[in-house]
Structures are given as C-alpha cells and as structure tokens.
Amino acid sequence: MRIVVAEDLYLLRDGMVRLIEACGHQVVATAATGPETLDALLTWRPDVAVVDVRMPPTQTDEGLRAALAARSELPGLPVLVLSQYVEQLYARELLADGAGGIGYFLKESVFDADQFIDALERVAGGGTAMDPVVIARLLAGGPPNRRLDRLTEREHSVLGLMAEGLSNQAVGQRLFLSESAISKYTTSLFGKLGITDDGNSNRRVLAVLTYLNNL
C-alpha cells in the first residue's frame, strides 16, 4: 500500500513509518502540519493515510479538518485518524458521508503493531476500523436511545464489533457463531435501525454512525 503519515511528533511519526515499511508497505510522504497534510493527501492520493487530529498551526483539530477537506476533493479517500483522547464528535464527523474507508484510533493503540496494520488494511479496503477502547469508552458514558433499545443483547454485541470494523466472519469468530448467523443478526439490526439497502450507501457504515451518534 502507498501511505501518507501525518503526525507532528517526530518520534511517533518516525516510529510509524518504520513499522509500516517493516510490514512491506510504502510511505510515500509525511507531514507535520495541517496544511502539509492536505497538500500531501491531494498530491499523492494514497491508498490510505494516517492522520493525527491535533496538528500545527492551531493544535486543535487541524489534522481532522485536512482529512475531511481531502475527502471532499477525493471522495472515499481512506483515512485512519489518530487521537490522544476519545472524541465522539470526531468519529461522527469522519463517518458522516457514509462512504467508509475511515478509521479512528487512539495513539496508544499504535504500539500494538498487528492491530494497527490490520486497521490500516481494513480502512484501505473501504471498511471502518474503530479502536475497541474508543467503543468501550463511548459505551460506558452514553445515554440510552430508543432505536438502540430495540436491539437484542446479541444484536447490540454484533453492532459493537461491527463498529470496530470487523467483518461478519470475524464477528462470528469473536462471538463463537457461524457467519450465516451473524448475517441474520446484521439484517435484523439494519431493519430495526431503519437502514435500508438503497444501493448507494454502505449500510455497515450507516449502522456504525447510528451507533456512535447515540452513545
């Protein structure tokens, strides 16, 4: 994969570059500021980008804004965003276009090499990859919601794992269920959440967005 790495902390940026290249992928460009990030994304059009949320010059959400701007110019551009903290708003904004190819991970998770590279590959493939820690923290602090309350305990478990970006097969392995059983659960929860297959939207992404919007 051709990858752009945008991170203002040199040691973390260099570490990610080394890890990515050690796994056989190519880092085509790096960036240390928001404007550099946007320029690199539009110039290189990578297979996937790793982008820090808070970057110079403002150290607020410069990286996130660069990623969103790049996706508006290049719809579906795969981006794995890194954040120091769990920010529900960031996850929601990233998923808002329903196109997929989005990940949201805490920086601490980068140190789990297998998890990080797996997330990059899933995002590059057009899927979602949500940090399990992010999902757990959002679950712990969220208010009840009527639509989510329609789901059974099992459907809620399936949706939570889907939010992490796992495939039906991977969800089945985690829950010790067959892939066909997971398929039935996903069809049921799509119906309960009012998500129809219109041929234009990624239903898994829309389900995850519903999930995040109401935690």
Side-chain angles (χ1 to χ4, degrees), residues 114-128:
D114 290 339
Q115 179 175 266
F116 176 61
I117 295 299
D118 177 63
L120 272 179
E121 292 175 345
R122 276 190 274 140
V123 170
T128 58

Side-chain angles (χ1 to χ4, degrees), residues 32 63 138:
L138 290 174

Side-chain angles (χ1 to χ4, degrees), residues 15 24 31 42 79 106 132 164 191 203 208-209:
L42 296 180
V79 179
L106 294 181
E164 291 181 24
R203 288 199 297 171
V208 172
L209 182 58

